[in-house]
Amino acid sequence: MQFNSIGFLFAFLPLFLILYVVTRSWLRGLVMVGGSLLFYGFACSWNPVSLGMLLAVTLITYPVALLLSKRGRGWLLGTTLGILAALLVFFKLFDGGRYLPVGMSFYLFQTAAMLIDTHRGRIAPEKNFLRHSETLIMFPKILSGPLVTPQTLQQQSESRTTGFSNIHKGLQTFVLGLAMKVVVANRLAGFWNQGSVLGYDIISPAFAWLSLIAYALRLYLDFQGYSLMAVGLGRMLGYELPHNFREPYAATGVAQFYRRWHITLGAWFREYIYIPLGGNRKGQLITILNLTVVWAFTGFWHGVGGNYLLWAGILLFCIVNERLWLGKLLAKTKVISHLYTIGVILLSWVPFAIGDWGQMVTFFGKLFGMGGVVANPMDFAAYGGHYVVPFTAGLLLATPLPAFLWKKIKSDLVKDILCLVLFWISVFYIATAAQDPAMYSAF
């Protein structure tokens, strides 16, 4: 089950919301945990390994968190984190990650943050087991985040309130994310996939560039759409989950791009790896070494293939150069810095998207007019003509304009009508297309 499925939209969500709202506040934790386990069960097709991992992590870390509040338990924290890391590494490496439990990276990172902050004394250990479970496995964020600071989760779980206003605003946000994912991102996926169907060795340079832009927009809108749905669901249930994106394609530097992209994952790496290593407090060389460690972790988090390490290496190289000298040059003109950022990010998506090294090299060649015969020089027009609407929508959604216009609409009635139209268009696309889960659920 995914947020963009008929079963979730017309069965699970309405039934869960009704039960959640009518239940007394002190029992809502039980409803949340039960509903989240049910949702996760459907999401992982009741895979016993996935379910077993989720339950084991939730159960075992409860007494560990209680013990970590006492002094002299650093060894327990280190041992527990080592076990969690070993499990993640095992499932990532075993058979190419084929058996990686759904959402495992996200709930393990959330669990690790809770344990570390408990040991640091930033939060008190959660003595209520239901509340402990709820903050770790609540279904709006279990599959692909967003990652939430333990302090925020603990505070909100104690004071969450629901009501018509929260449900109303949450539904609006959810529908906007749903349409972004289903109506635009999924359509753009068709154009990107067409390139591999035709064969990278015979497509034209124009087709290669258009398909790469389609992939870049699809990746962003797919995950941003999922994140907005998660934020909307959280709002309905009385939680203010953090936003994961802030118009990244409007950035004027690669470092800035990744401060705007998958914000909560970046914050996790900064808080629990970069800063403990020393951050930027120990000189330029140590800072570069710390950035290298963070980006190595980032590459591995996305996958075990060498293509992900190449992707991370490209970005690390650009970020280090921006830090050393290029940033001062880029700061002189926003136009050039923006074009540079878009160019680097687009090219970096090639190894991210194509795991086969031969195919990757062929595609890179096509981008620059190399690589042999072109079967149809006008292939970009022949195939791209079918994607004018999603391309246009995707390009607009990658700018700050839609969010600006949405805030300008003061009438909730107008917003509701727009959301109603978008919802039923989304339902039509869901009903007439194959199920397409969120891309980041694979990580």
Side-chain angles (χ1 to χ4, degrees), residues 121-385:
R122 289 184 176 179
I123 60 171
E126 186 56 73
K127 296 180 180 179
N128 185 313
F129 176 69
L130 280 177
R131 198 169 284 164
H132 163 85
S133 304
E134 177 184 357
T135 56
L136 293 184
I137 68 172
M138 57 184 295
F139 75 87
K141 67 178 184 63
I142 192 171
L143 296 184
S144 298
L147 295 165
V148 191
T149 62
Q151 298 96 317
T152 300
L153 278 174
Q154 192 172 77
Q155 291 166 4
Q156 294 187 7
S157 69
E158 294 171 353
S159 60
R160 65 180 182 273
T161 58
T162 189
F164 176 76
S165 177
N166 276 346
I167 293 175
H168 179 217
K169 295 296 182 184
L171 278 171
Q172 287 182 342
T173 304
F174 178 87
V175 170
L176 293 176
L178 179 69
M180 196 176 288
K181 154 72 177 162
V182 173
V183 180
V184 186
N186 287 4
R187 293 286 311 286
L188 289 171
F191 189 70
W192 165 254
N193 294 334
Q194 192 66 53
S196 60
V197 172
L198 293 172
Y200 297 142
D201 55 330
I202 65 168
I203 60 175
S204 68
F207 188 102
W209 278 107
L210 278 178
S211 66
L212 183 57
I213 293 169
Y215 180 85
L217 292 173
R218 184 259 179 121
L219 185 65
Y220 167 58
L221 296 173
D222 185 284
F223 198 18
Q224 168 69 322
Y226 170 89
S227 298
L228 285 177
M229 287 188 275
V231 169
L233 289 168
R235 182 74 179 268
M236 293 182 227
L237 306 177
Y239 284 88
E240 290 290 336
L241 300 182
H243 286 267
N244 241 343
F245 295 88
R246 193 173 66 252
E247 286 95 30
Y249 285 111
T252 53
V254 175
Q256 187 186 105
F257 180 92
Y258 277 98
R259 287 195 292 270
R260 295 168 171 234
W261 178 282
H262 206 169
I263 296 168
T264 62
L265 180 66
W268 193 97
F269 278 116
R270 183 174 62 252
E271 181 65 31
Y272 300 108
I273 295 181
Y274 182 66
I275 292 177
L277 287 173
N280 59 0
R281 303 187 305 275
K282 298 182 179 181
Q284 198 73 273
L285 178 60
I286 299 300
T287 298
I288 292 172
L289 289 174
N290 293 341
L291 286 170
T292 302
V293 172
V294 168
W295 277 98
F297 272 110
T298 304
F300 178 76
W301 183 86
H302 283 88
V304 296
N307 60 308
Y308 290 112
L309 290 179
L310 174 60
W311 164 76
I314 292 170
L315 299 173
L316 172 66
F317 176 81
C318 293
I319 289 170
V320 168
N321 276 285
E322 287 177 17
R323 187 177 189 88
L324 293 176
W325 64 276
L326 188 57
K328 293 179 182 179
L329 195 63
L330 293 173
K332 295 180 180 180
T333 167
K334 286 189 175 181
V335 174
I336 293 176
S337 59
H338 183 65
L339 291 174
Y340 151 81
T341 304
I342 294 297
V344 169
I345 295 300
L346 282 176
L347 292 174
S348 74
W349 288 138
V350 176
F352 190 90
I354 304 173
D356 182 274
W357 289 86
Q359 294 280 60
M360 187 195 308
V361 170
T362 299
F363 190 86
F364 265 124
K366 283 296 179 177
L367 290 174
F368 298 100
M370 299 179 289
V373 179
V374 173
N376 178 9
M378 296 300 293
D379 53 2
F380 68 95
Y383 292 98

Side-chain angles (χ1 to χ4, degrees), residues 88-116:
L88 183 59
V89 170
F90 171 78
F91 279 105
K92 285 271 189 181
L93 293 176
F94 182 66
D95 201 12
R98 182 180 300 179
Y99 300 102
L100 180 72
V102 177
M104 182 182 182
S105 296
F106 287 94
Y107 68 72
L108 284 189
F109 274 33
Q110 190 72 70
T111 302
M114 179 271 296
L115 294 174
I116 294 169

